[in-house]
Structures are given as structure tokens and as C-alpha cells.
Amino acid sequence: MLLRPLSLLDTDVLARRANDPEVARHLTDAFPHPYTREHAVAFIGTFGALAPPEVLVIEHEGEFAGCIGVHPQADVWRRTAKLGYWVARPFWGRGLATAAVRERCRTAYDDFDLERLEASVFSSNPASMRVLEKAGFTREGVHRRAVVKWGEVLDEVVYARLRP
């Protein structure tokens, strides 16, 4: 598993791998579905040139397998960042998400001068909860009935990992 910056060369494979309802159902509505080539171009245009990079490609054996992002917050939360990730369905069950989260956490605190990384998971996604727990995150709480995804009301489970 390798984490690397986004590139315009990722446009077509990003559009193809992200255009999966089983991926989108676990992500916020900011992740569109259907996911088009135009969405991929806009995403890469927004996140591909940032330094340090907020979003990295998860690559497995030379193939685009997903993305992981660290998004610093502002104001009094400026030493906190939101962590988000997704892995394309052909790569599920291989430990890639856990490896990517562990690797990104290794450098994220210094890259962005952070004290805290947070991740929110829909209650319908126990696999992602296991990823975070295996990567050293602590379940901090549940925002009950806080999320509506595709007409379903869900809980939001909040995890955090502090600077070592």
C-alpha cells in the first residue's frame, strides 16, 4: 500500500472507482453519486495542488484503490482535522483502509500542526468503525439520529486519535 498525491492522470480511474453506490452510501453528500468524470476533474483541481496535500491516493500494487483526506479545521478547532477515506469495492477486505489510516496518521500531526484527528462514521458502517479502532482511534460518542443519507436517518459515531 502506498499513499501518493492526486494527479490529473487519476481522473478516469477516480471517476470509475468512485461511481459505486456501495462507496457513496457511507460518505457525506459532498461525495456525489453518480460520480462523473467532471466530478473527478473538479476534485483533483481542488485538492491536487495543496501543499501539504490534504487528499492522497491509496494505491495498491500500482492500482488506484481509493482516497484518504485530512482536512484541517479553522478558528478554535485549528489544531483539529477531520479524517475521511474510502476504498473501492475491488479492494475491500484486504486491510488497505486500516493501513492507509495508520500511515496517514503517522505524518498528519506534523504536516498540519495538529493535536487531534477526528473521524465520523455512519452507524450503518461497522467495517469503518473497525478500521478506526484498529488504527488507534477511540470512540468518543454517538450523535443520535444526526445523519440523513438517501432517506435513512442514522446515528453518527465519532472517533478521535490524539497526537502521540
Side-chain angles (χ1 to χ4, degrees):
M1 190 276 318
L2 169 73
L3 299 182
R4 64 164 177 81
L6 283 162
S7 160
L8 283 174
L9 298 173
D10 296 317
T11 301
D12 291 330
V13 69
L14 169 58
R16 188 172 64 256
R17 294 262 160 88
N19 190 33
D20 181 343
E22 289 303 306
V23 170
R25 72 187 280 258
H26 297 297
L27 302 173
T28 68
D29 290 343
F31 189 93
H33 185 75
Y35 198 103
T36 65
R37 188 175 197 287
E38 290 73 28
H39 292 122
V41 168
F43 183 78
I44 293 168
T46 299
F47 292 105
L50 297 178
E54 288 185 18
V55 176
L56 296 170
V57 171
I58 302 168
E59 192 173 285
H60 178 68
E61 297 179 354
E63 289 191 68
F64 184 108
C67 289
I68 186 164
V70 173
H71 305 287
Q73 303 301 288
D75 197 19
V76 297
W77 300 277
R78 65 187 163 272
R79 302 286 300 274
T80 297
K82 300 282 187 177
L83 175 77
Y85 53 89
W86 64 272
V87 173
R89 197 183 328 197
F91 301 95
W92 288 1
R94 298 183 189 189
L96 291 179
T98 301
V101 170
R102 285 178 177 150
E103 178 61 21
R104 190 62 187 114
C105 289
R106 192 179 60 73
T107 59
Y109 299 100
D110 291 331
D111 287 352
F112 300 101
D113 191 26
L114 300 174
E115 289 297 320
R116 173 186 175 88
L117 284 166
E118 289 182 353
S120 295
V121 180
F122 301 163
S123 54
S124 59
N125 192 357
S128 192
M129 293 180 209
R130 286 191 303 276
V131 164
L132 292 168
E133 290 164 0
K134 288 190 289 186
F137 280 71
T138 300
R139 181 177 169 146
E140 290 193 330
V142 177
H143 298 157
R144 296 177 313 150
R145 301 177 58 91
V147 174
V148 178
K149 182 65 179 189
W150 294 350
E152 185 179 4
V153 178
L154 302 165
D155 294 345
E156 175 188 34
V157 184
V158 179
Y159 284 84
R161 180 173 157 170
L162 304 180
R163 176 186 280 276

